[in-house]
Every structure is written in structure tokens, then in C-alpha cells.
Amino acid sequence: MEPPASAIMVPVSGEELRGAARDEAVRSFYEAAGWRACWSAAAERELLETLDRRARHGLDRIDFGARPSSSDSALERELKLTRLALAYASALAYGAVDPSSLHEIYTLPRPAEDVPGELAQAMAEGRAGLWFASLAPDTEEYRHFSTAYLDYSAKAREEARDQLPDGGVIHVGDHDSRIVAIAAQLADNGYLTSEDRLVTERATTGGRAIYTASMKSAVERLQGDYGIAADGVIGPDTFSVLNLRAPDRARALAVAMERRRWMPRSKPATRIDVNIAAARLQYIRDDVVVDERRVVAGRPDRPTPLLSSPIFRLVANPTWTVPKSIQNTELAQVDAAYLQRNNMVLRAGWIVQGAGPGNALGQVKFDMRNGQAIYLHDTSAPALFDRSERHLSHGCVRVEDALGFAQMLASDEGILEQWLTAREVGQEQFVALPREIPVRLLYRSVLVRPSGDIAFRADPYGWSEAVARHLGFTGNGRKSQPAAIDLGP
């Protein structure tokens, strides 16, 4: 590829480049460029200006490598610029860190960009700046994250407020000197109306305001967003969220953008997305969200893994073969009476629970293709969906009103009559889908509401910590610690 005629090339020979380029990506770049030096003064200036704008991607805390200096030889300058360009382009194209290095199980697809080859071509055509601008996700969600990150980063540099003291629990009707500050934070983050905030401030006597019912409703919404028991009582867990400051939110937004960069820029038009962090499911058909419901995901010591795995059939009236991880722990000491009470039998060394309303899988299982025995299913404990913190399973995903969801899928896929017949049998029946439906098990602790506002969720598994460290952040997220509820998968 010939460089533009107007480019002023650095006087470096191909032989020098071949001898000095040892990194695989650097060699790939120069092979694509025909082993010619590529960096003119204009191209260098454009690259450094691009790097100076990296805060919009939450990458401003990363050192992408040494920049050229006046003491560099022509060869050193050329290679420094190439390494900088490749490192930054790779971070934009598919993330600054490989998620498979952070997670024992990670089967979600990654972008398949040929960064060295594409950079060489872009430089040869004089459009490197446009190419860099095209690498990050081009979505409204990502743009909202970017804008919010810059905003919270600016606030972080200016922020000087003191943290709220968390000594003493506050109940509705209590008078407390912290109420006005709490109301201000609730209003600033969209949980309390400005009118209710003013009412609170005007009702202050001797520096102490009353904790009103309207504030309690706002606190309950905040607690629900962060996976705290939504009882409206302001205790230590709620104070830990109220004391989240602008740097904490900027950090969460940078992690959110990094997770989006891990994903391919295109996705199946029809799919099921499960947000493990928020314990929510979305059913998208032809790029339109047609259904959303709550789920129960794996508890922190049995996390639901990050998978891409399609549903290939519906199972009516499923039986449940208890995994050895449960059989050898929670069920290690059960006797014959326990098995009988729970419709279980011992079969070839495995405990199997028969079909029926008490089955841990409920009345429908959504069979998925993966090697981790992870799938969506119904449950015999529907009350768990009413909890704010729903990270309670052994790793599989329990779906709210799973029978209704199965009927929706069956209707959309043209197998409703077959599905209803299978349901009526009362024994385990398998109904194949005419086409597999992709399912993505994701982990997203920052969301964009339909209004465009940013919603922050808890980090129930503590998975954001490692990502944040790779992005150059310090500080802690809020990890939940729910207790075991039942034996279901």
C-alpha cells in the first residue's frame, strides 16, 4: 500500500524495521504496510491528539506506552508511534483487557478486528483519524456512558463534600441531622423529586429533619437498584451507597464501557439477554425488546458464568438430576425419608427428582447448549422474585413466570400447539425449537434508562474490581453476600 503523496516519511529503511520490530502485532503492521516507515509529522500529531481524547472512553488512566522524545532516533520514534497506535486501537476495538484472563468461564464472542492490518490500510489511505473514531461501539448507550463518565470525572475533581456518618439506623418518622443531606443526594440521583426535597428542608427544626414516607419510597427504590433489602430503613448498607461519590460512579462507567468493547459490534436480531448483575432478562425479537422480567441468578459463591449459549428445546415437566456439587455437599447426609418427601430417588449413584410442582426446575426448563450445565428454568420458589437481591441460585437462571415465557417463545416460533400438548402429558417431554434462540449471559452494573438517565447497580460478584484495576482505578465496589436459600440449580 503506497502512502499518500503528501506524507513526509520518516527516513527509516525496511531493513531497519525488520531487525527492530520484534512484537508480533508490530511485525504484522509493517508486513501489511510493505515494511515501509509510516509516520509523518502530521500522522504523529493526529495520533497524539487522538490519545489525548481517550478520556471519552474511560481510558485516561492507562499508559499506552512511551511517547516519542527529541532524543529518539528516527527508528525509535517510528516504533514508539506504532506501538502507541496499536495499543490504543486494540483497547478501543476489543478492550484494554482480555475478559478470558479475568473469568474462569467466558464464552461470549469477542470482536474479530485485524487491528494491525486495518491500521496500515487506514494510514496508507490517509484516514487514520476516522478509523480510530470508528473502533469503539457506535451506540446510544455507549455515548451516554461516555458523556456521563466525563461529567462524573469533572465532578470528581471538584467534589469536596464529606461522607455521611453511618452511625445509627434511621426509620420513618425519626428526626435526624443527616436527613437533609440524604434528601439532597437522593434528589441529585433522581430518586426524590425537587419538591419533596424542599419539603424536607423546610421542615427542619434545630438542624434535624423528619424522615418522611416520600423519602422512604425514594430510599426503597435506591435499595432495590443496589441489591439491598428494600425496607426503607437507612442502615450501614444504604449509607455505603449514599456515600458513593463521583469518583466511584466514574469508575463504574469506565468499567461499563470496557465491557461493551469486549462485545462484537453486531448482535443477533432475535436473542435473550440476561443481565446477571441486575438479575433481569430481556427478550429481543427483530431488534425490539418485546419482554422483560426478573430472574434469580447464581449466588456469589456459585456465580452464573458469562456465556453465549442458545436455547435449542423446551422441556415440559422436567426431572432434575442433582449435580454432584450439590449431592456431595448440601445433600450429603440426607436419608430415604428426605428423598421420599421431595419426590427423589437414587439412580445409578445420582439423586433424581421427579417431575411435578415441587421440582426444583419448576414446570419448564429451557435447554441450552454449553458444557457448564447452565440453563434457564422455572422454579418451585416463586416468592424469590419479589426480593431485591436475587443472587440466590447454584448458577442456573430461574425465570419469573417461566411458563408464560415458554408459551411466548413457543408462539413466536410456531410450535405453540406442540408445546401445550407436551405440558398436558404431566411427564417429562421435549419440544425442539425450529431454530435455536441465542442467549447471552452478561454482567452489566451500569444501565441507561429509556429516559437516557444512568442507573447504577451493585457489583454482586465483585467482578468489576479486576476490570477497574486494569483501567487504572482504585477503590471498591459493593459486593453482595446473600445467604443460601434452597437447593435448586
Side-chain angles (χ1 to χ4, degrees), residues 3-20:
S6 61
I8 304 173
M9 306 304 293
V10 178
V12 177
S13 70
E15 185 178 350
E16 288 177 296
L17 289 172
R18 288 178 188 274

Side-chain angles (χ1 to χ4, degrees), residues 218-430:
V219 169
E220 287 173 345
R221 289 194 294 276
L222 176 139
Q223 289 170 328
D225 279 354
Y226 282 90
I228 302 168
D231 55 11
V233 176
I234 305 177
D237 283 347
T238 304
F239 275 114
S240 73
V241 172
L242 289 169
N243 280 323
L244 286 177
R245 307 176 74 174
D248 302 303
R249 299 188 188 280
R251 174 179 173 275
L253 285 157
V255 170
M257 284 190 279
E258 174 71 358
R259 287 195 170 112
R260 297 310 186 275
R261 291 190 292 266
W262 292 347
M263 304 297 293
R265 303 305 182 255
S266 62
K267 49 201 170 189
T270 295
R271 65 189 185 278
I272 295 167
D273 283 348
V274 176
N275 184 348
I276 301 166
R280 304 282 304 185
L281 174 152
Q282 283 189 330
Y283 171 36
I284 299 99
R285 194 166 187 89
D286 297 326
D287 287 322
V288 176
V289 177
V290 296
D291 187 68
E292 185 170 357
R293 58 189 67 212
R294 293 172 289 189
V295 301
V296 171
R299 65 191 198 221
D301 63 334
R302 297 283 185 88
T304 299
L306 298 170
L307 299 178
S308 175
S309 176
I311 295 172
F312 67 95
R313 68 182 178 186
L314 306 177
V315 184
N317 312 305
T319 62
W320 178 41
T321 301
V322 179
K324 289 296 184 181
S325 59
I326 298 176
Q327 183 172 329
N328 295 334
T329 53
E330 289 99 323
L331 296 182
Q333 305 300 321
V334 300
D335 55 18
Y338 176 92
L339 296 178
Q340 185 175 10
R341 285 195 308 273
N342 290 278
N343 192 25
M344 293 175 168
V345 296
L346 194 61
R347 187 177 299 158
W350 293 81
I351 295 177
V352 179
Q353 187 177 40
N359 188 282
L361 301 184
Q363 299 180 72
V364 57
K365 173 184 175 183
F366 304 82
D367 248 344
M368 295 163 59
R369 296 193 190 280
N370 60 71
Q372 284 74 39
I374 296 295
Y375 45 84
L376 312 184
H377 64 90
D378 189 14
T379 179
S380 57
L384 297 183
F385 294 114
D386 294 329
R387 296 172 63 105
S388 297
E389 172 54 78
R390 296 191 300 278
H391 297 90
L392 305 163
S393 80
H394 281 74
C396 287
V397 177
R398 309 177 191 183
V399 180
E400 182 181 28
D401 183 24
L403 279 176
F405 188 53
Q407 184 161 323
M408 181 185 300
L409 295 184
S411 177
D412 287 347
E413 295 300 316
I415 55 169
L416 180 57
E417 184 175 351
Q418 187 179 353
W419 167 247
L420 294 176
T421 299
R423 284 272 300 118
E424 293 172 359
V425 172
Q427 296 178 346
E428 188 171 60
Q429 299 287 306
F430 301 95

Side-chain angles (χ1 to χ4, degrees), residues 54-359:
R54 66 189 185 279
R56 66 183 62 185
H57 302 288
L59 295 170
D60 46 317
R61 294 168 179 255
I62 294 181
D63 180 2
F64 286 99
R67 296 193 178 204
S69 69
S70 57
S71 63
D72 288 337
S73 67
L75 177 61
E76 288 170 335
R77 192 175 201 89
E78 172 77 17
L79 291 176
K80 278 185 178 180
L81 291 168
T82 298
R83 293 189 190 104
L84 275 170
L86 291 173
Y88 184 52
S90 296
L92 291 177
Y94 35 73
V97 58
D98 182 351
S100 64
S101 70
L102 305 179
H103 299 280
E104 183 178 352
I105 300 170
Y106 191 93
T107 70
L108 291 163
R110 300 287 310 285
E113 303 291 332
D114 173 16
V115 167
E118 291 178 13
L119 173 61
Q121 182 174 350
M123 292 193 69
E125 296 171 357
R127 55 177 183 84
L130 292 174
W131 178 73
F132 273 104
S134 73
L135 292 175
D138 183 20
T139 66
E140 282 297 317
E141 178 191 53
Y142 192 88
R143 284 188 283 274
H144 279 298
F145 287 162
S146 176
T147 300
Y149 176 77
L150 294 174
D151 182 41
Y152 278 113
S153 294
K155 288 179 180 177
R157 290 189 289 270
E158 302 169 0
E159 193 173 70
R161 70 168 170 79
D162 294 327
Q163 288 197 327
L164 291 163
D166 61 2
V169 173
I170 306 176
H171 297 85
V172 171
D174 288 351
H175 289 76
D176 194 283
S177 59
R178 298 166 291 181
I179 291 297
V180 171
I182 292 171
Q185 289 190 50
L186 290 170
D188 287 346
N189 288 286
Y191 292 99
L192 190 69
T193 65
S194 55
E195 291 81 4
D196 284 334
R197 175 183 175 179
L198 286 174
V199 168
T200 299
E201 292 176 347
R202 289 168 181 165
T204 302
T205 304
R208 296 164 67 86
I210 188 170
Y211 182 24
T212 63
S214 60
M215 275 191 68
K216 177 176 182 288
S217 297
V219 169
E220 287 173 345
R221 289 194 294 276
L222 176 139
Q223 289 170 328
D225 279 354
Y226 282 90
I228 302 168
D231 55 11
V233 176
I234 305 177
D237 283 347
T238 304
F239 275 114
S240 73
V241 172
L242 289 169
N243 280 323
L244 286 177
R245 307 176 74 174
D248 302 303
R249 299 188 188 280
R251 174 179 173 275
L253 285 157
V255 170
M257 284 190 279
E258 174 71 358
R259 287 195 170 112
R260 297 310 186 275
R261 291 190 292 266
W262 292 347
M263 304 297 293
R265 303 305 182 255
S266 62
K267 49 201 170 189
T270 295
R271 65 189 185 278
I272 295 167
D273 283 348
V274 176
N275 184 348
I276 301 166
R280 304 282 304 185
L281 174 152
Q282 283 189 330
Y283 171 36
I284 299 99
R285 194 166 187 89
D286 297 326
D287 287 322
V288 176
V289 177
V290 296
D291 187 68
E292 185 170 357
R293 58 189 67 212
R294 293 172 289 189
V295 301
V296 171
R299 65 191 198 221
D301 63 334
R302 297 283 185 88
T304 299
L306 298 170
L307 299 178
S308 175
S309 176
I311 295 172
F312 67 95
R313 68 182 178 186
L314 306 177
V315 184
N317 312 305
T319 62
W320 178 41
T321 301
V322 179
K324 289 296 184 181
S325 59
I326 298 176
Q327 183 172 329
N328 295 334
T329 53
E330 289 99 323
L331 296 182
Q333 305 300 321
V334 300
D335 55 18
Y338 176 92
L339 296 178
Q340 185 175 10
R341 285 195 308 273
N342 290 278
N343 192 25
M344 293 175 168
V345 296
L346 194 61
R347 187 177 299 158
W350 293 81
I351 295 177
V352 179
Q353 187 177 40
N359 188 282

Side-chain angles (χ1 to χ4, degrees), residues 419-463:
W419 167 247
L420 294 176
T421 299
R423 284 272 300 118
E424 293 172 359
V425 172
Q427 296 178 346
E428 188 171 60
Q429 299 287 306
F430 301 95
V431 180
L433 294 175
R435 60 171 180 167
E436 296 183 345
I437 300 176
V439 178
R440 304 190 305 172
L441 303 183
L442 309 168
Y443 192 83
R444 296 183 166 177
S445 55
V446 184
L447 310 170
V448 178
R449 294 190 175 103
S451 63
D453 295 332
I454 301 293
F456 295 88
R457 298 292 187 265
D459 178 14
Y461 296 163
W463 282 351

